[in-house]
Amino acid sequence: MAADEVKVLEEEILKKTKLVAMLAPCYVVDFDYPEVIGQLKELGFDKVVELTFGAKMVNLEYHKLLKKADKLVISATCAGIVDTIRREFPQYADNIARIYSPMVATAMICKKIYPEHKTVFVSPCNFKKLEAKSAPGGCVDMVVDAAELHALFDSHGITPKEVHRKHAFDKFYNDYTKIYPTAGGLSKTAHLKGVLKPEETLVVDGIAKLREFMKKPGQKIKFLDATFCVGACIGGPLLRKDITLAQKRKRVLAYVTRSLHEPIADAKRGIVKDAKGLKFSY
């Protein structure tokens, strides 16, 4: 997010524009839960959601696609992978799934449920910032990375503090997809048992591994679940660098475990009919 865009976001906050923050589960690498929800609300966000329900809707599209696929399918959840395939391996461009990412899917859902709100995504990488610019219907209004969000909190004197349950996510419930930002998160949560054999799916995290595979794709591989960064989104360059990848993964897994024991804010949210009328593939 360029400096002028940060200024635009601050102007929207000052104008008390209705804003919805969209967090990928990798946010726990940089921020504490649930304190960050309170911080975002204090900053001026009216709603705070995760990408988990959007990821579920994306998973349904992959499940349908892979059931009928007759050629290699390359995941399109990572904009870095999509960009690399199109530039370096254009002969496989048609193998890229024509399915939106959880960021875009969640933004589309937010625009339906919160039509008066502007959407702001908290990003782990610059590729998501580029992807947001081409999101259908301009559904992603703004993007801020973790460092920029920390700076915004600091400039407004907002520090983590114990928060009341009223600051729980304004959530679309599907917390099993919280592992999405780890390597293989898509294939692990898309319920592909019975659709593909285990040996027909390959998880690749890191652009070097992708390039190695694409030079000679395995004939048995029907689904390539790939991410540009080693470790997937938790390895994103715009997240903190003072802890190891293993420690980042541990934070996400602990977050997943914790969520299993928490009450659902609104059990009626996060069901397929909430996304009725929206298309997550193109």
Side-chain angles (χ1 to χ4, degrees):
M1 188 175 184
D4 57 336
E5 290 183 276
V6 173
K7 184 178 180 180
V8 169
L9 176 55
E10 291 198 281
E11 289 173 350
E12 297 290 354
I13 291 171
L14 286 172
K15 290 190 296 185
K16 299 191 182 301
T17 299
K18 290 184 177 181
L19 301 170
V20 52
M22 303 186 302
L23 303 181
C26 59
Y27 81 87
V28 294
V29 168
D30 263 74
F31 301 95
D32 293 325
Y33 169 82
E35 288 81 0
V36 69
I37 300 173
Q39 289 177 272
L40 285 163
K41 299 272 181 147
E42 188 176 345
L43 183 61
F45 283 87
D46 180 53
K47 304 291 183 182
V48 183
V49 303
E50 273 192 288
L51 301 193
T52 48
F53 179 51
K56 172 186 176 175
M57 301 312 299
V58 166
N59 281 356
L60 292 176
E61 295 296 326
Y62 277 96
H63 193 275
K64 288 188 292 185
L65 174 61
L66 291 167
K67 281 184 73 172
K68 62 182 182 181
D70 57 2
K71 63 180 180 181
L72 171 68
V73 173
I74 302 172
S75 62
T77 56
C78 173
I81 291 297
V82 173
D83 177 73
T84 301
I85 295 295
R86 288 175 176 167
R87 285 188 298 101
E88 299 184 20
F89 306 97
Q91 66 272 34
Y92 289 103
D94 288 341
N95 296 80
I96 301 171
R98 296 174 65 84
I99 299 172
Y100 294 121
S101 70
M103 175 190 72
V104 172
T106 301
M108 293 168 71
I109 293 166
C110 285
K111 288 295 187 180
K112 177 187 177 184
I113 296 178
Y114 307 125
E116 297 181 356
H117 289 64
K118 290 190 175 182
T119 55
V120 183
F121 177 61
V122 178
S123 178
C125 71
N126 280 313
F127 280 116
K128 303 307 283 185
K129 297 185 178 191
L130 294 174
E131 181 187 3
K133 293 179 180 179
S134 59
C139 60
V140 183
D141 292 298
M142 287 167 273
V143 178
V144 59
D145 63 51
E148 291 165 339
L149 185 55
H150 277 298
L152 280 170
F153 287 156
D154 290 343
S155 67
H156 287 263
I158 299 172
T159 57
K161 38 181 94 72
E162 187 175 349
V163 296
H164 190 273
R165 278 300 299 177
K166 70 178 181 179
H167 288 316
F169 281 110
D170 301 283
K171 67 193 298 178
F172 312 119
Y173 176 66
N174 278 105
D175 283 343
Y176 73 93
T177 56
K178 286 185 189 292
I179 67 168
Y180 231 82
T182 63
L186 164 58
S187 52
K188 289 174 183 175
T189 59
H191 303 297
L192 298 179
K193 185 177 181 181
V195 175
L196 296 176
K197 298 175 183 177
E199 62 270 21
E200 292 177 328
T201 297
L202 179 65
V203 174
V204 171
D205 62 317
I207 193 60
K209 295 178 186 176
L210 173 81
R211 288 175 174 139
E212 181 180 353
F213 173 80
M214 295 309 301
K215 289 175 183 177
K216 191 175 181 180
Q219 295 301 309
K220 292 183 179 181
I221 303 302
K222 294 184 178 180
F223 180 43
L224 182 64
D225 182 1
T227 50
F228 190 91
C229 297
V230 175
C233 293
I234 61 172
L238 301 184
L239 295 179
R240 62 190 292 186
K241 299 177 177 61
D242 61 327
I243 60 175
T244 66
L245 188 61
Q247 289 172 315
K248 293 177 181 181
R249 179 177 170 79
K250 186 176 180 180
R251 285 179 69 95
V252 172
L253 295 180
Y255 176 52
V256 172
T257 300
R258 175 173 178 170
S259 71
L260 297 176
H261 304 287
E262 294 197 335
I264 302 171
D266 184 349
K268 295 181 180 179
R269 285 288 173 86
I271 53 180
V272 174
K273 70 177 183 180
D274 286 331
K276 185 177 180 180
L278 299 176
K279 292 191 67 175
F280 301 108
S281 59
Y282 56 97

